[in-house]
Amino acid sequence: MFALLKYEVKDAVASIVLNRPEVYHALNPALIQEITKAVNLASEDEEVRVIVLTSEGERAFCSGADLKEGLGEIKLPSQSLRKNYNPMILAMRNSPKPIIGGLNGIAAGAGCSLALACDILIASENAAMSEIFVSIGLIIDAGSSYFLPRIVGSQRAFELCSTGRRLSAQECLSLGLVSKVVPANQFREALEATAQQYANAPTKAIGLIKKVLNQSSHSSLEQMLELEAIHQDEAAQSYDFVEGVSAFLQKRPAQFKGR
């Protein structure tokens, strides 16, 4: 089914592992389309309650666009963005499942955008991020212009994008770009533990939380209050709401089913 990534579903966790280590998991059209397909597959699978996106090895999460596949010869990059990159990012943000990104190494350029499109990022102490587009005379793309200023503010976003400087894992943590930094030898274990936490959570409610938060930065207070009311009704119809209330009243741990 997939040639450039590994896809597996186990214990309600869908693992998407980029597998082009010879080019530091650089993004070519085939890999981008496989990522989009894998995200959509996991999003539609009722057995999946969380998606984990990471890469093979310890050297790179994703080094960005594969320049050796002719990007430098493309006069209108918008064609590739609209056909490949944009659908990938939209699939991630529109997924009703939480997406945990595992930064095992450098995330640069479009690889940085790919990381920022995740809902939570767990980073190895050896990880790094760079909006490196400017180093080849390009602007940021694949969603970085949307995600980055909302996380770090407009002035810091401008500085990071206009210099393309490399951020260490600890600086990423201090800026709020990642949720947690762990020792390299504990990275996979920490990623799995976070995935299991979400695999046991009320998936429908988390999907609605994601949907609401996606709207918050460009909506008024009145619009958000109404959106909360609409989706709270939806959440209240779920099995997990009934289970959560019952568990609270009975003073026991909730056993959520993700529905």
Side-chain angles (χ1 to χ4, degrees):
M1 183 182 299
F2 299 103
L4 303 177
L5 62 79
K6 298 177 181 179
Y7 181 84
E8 180 186 24
V9 176
K10 182 179 180 181
D11 298 330
V13 179
S15 297
I16 301 172
V17 183
L18 308 190
N19 193 29
R20 298 188 75 210
E22 70 281 2
V23 290
Y24 303 103
H25 312 294
L27 297 167
N28 62 4
L31 177 56
I32 295 169
Q33 290 171 15
E34 286 196 5
I35 294 171
T36 305
K37 181 179 179 180
V39 170
N40 287 332
L41 185 64
S43 298
E44 296 167 4
D45 188 342
E46 294 183 357
E47 299 301 315
V48 172
R49 294 170 69 179
V50 61
I51 300 169
V52 174
L53 176 63
T54 189
S55 301
E56 277 293 316
E58 300 178 355
R59 301 185 65 182
F61 170 74
C62 176
S63 59
D66 191 340
L67 299 180
K68 292 182 179 180
E69 292 211 4
L71 180 62
E73 300 174 3
I74 295 176
K75 299 303 181 183
L76 293 175
S78 61
Q79 296 175 356
S80 180
L81 291 175
R82 291 175 179 136
K83 180 181 179 180
N84 299 311
Y85 289 88
N86 296 358
M88 173 180 69
I89 299 301
L90 289 173
M92 294 174 66
R93 294 314 309 154
N94 291 333
S95 173
K97 311 293 173 67
I99 301 178
I100 302 171
L103 290 188
N104 49 315
I106 183 68
C112 186
S113 300
L114 179 65
L116 294 177
C118 297
D119 296 302
I120 288 179
L121 285 175
I122 307 299
S124 161
E125 61 187 351
N126 297 329
M129 300 180 79
S130 172
E131 294 282 10
I132 203 170
F133 298 92
V134 71
S135 69
I136 58 171
L138 289 180
I139 72 163
I140 50 177
D141 63 27
S144 274
S145 65
Y146 180 88
F147 301 120
L148 194 62
R150 284 165 171 77
I151 298 172
V152 303
S154 59
Q155 290 190 15
R156 182 56 62 88
F158 176 80
E159 182 256 324
L160 297 178
C161 295
S162 61
T163 64
R165 69 181 179 88
R166 182 186 179 107
L167 302 176
S168 69
Q170 286 299 329
E171 188 170 3
C172 288
L173 180 64
S174 68
L175 290 173
L177 292 167
V178 303
S179 300
K180 182 187 298 184
V181 175
V182 297
N185 62 357
Q186 298 175 22
F187 170 71
R188 300 292 173 181
E189 180 181 347
L191 192 58
E192 182 177 343
T194 303
Q196 283 304 312
Q197 176 186 342
Y198 279 92
N200 295 324
T203 311
K204 187 174 182 64
I206 289 174
L208 292 172
I209 288 170
K210 179 175 177 177
K211 189 174 183 179
V212 170
L213 291 178
N214 279 343
Q215 297 294 318
S216 66
S217 60
H218 48 273
S219 300
S220 67
L221 173 60
E222 290 80 6
Q223 289 171 321
M224 291 309 301
L225 289 170
E226 179 59 20
L227 199 62
E228 289 174 353
I230 291 170
H231 291 310
Q232 195 68 292
D233 278 352
E234 189 174 350
Q237 304 306 310
S238 69
Y239 168 91
D240 285 341
F241 170 68
V242 176
E243 166 62 12
V245 172
S246 298
F248 176 80
L249 295 175
Q250 296 169 18
K251 298 181 180 180
R252 60 172 175 82
Q255 301 293 319
F256 295 119
K257 301 296 184 182
R259 51 183 172 85

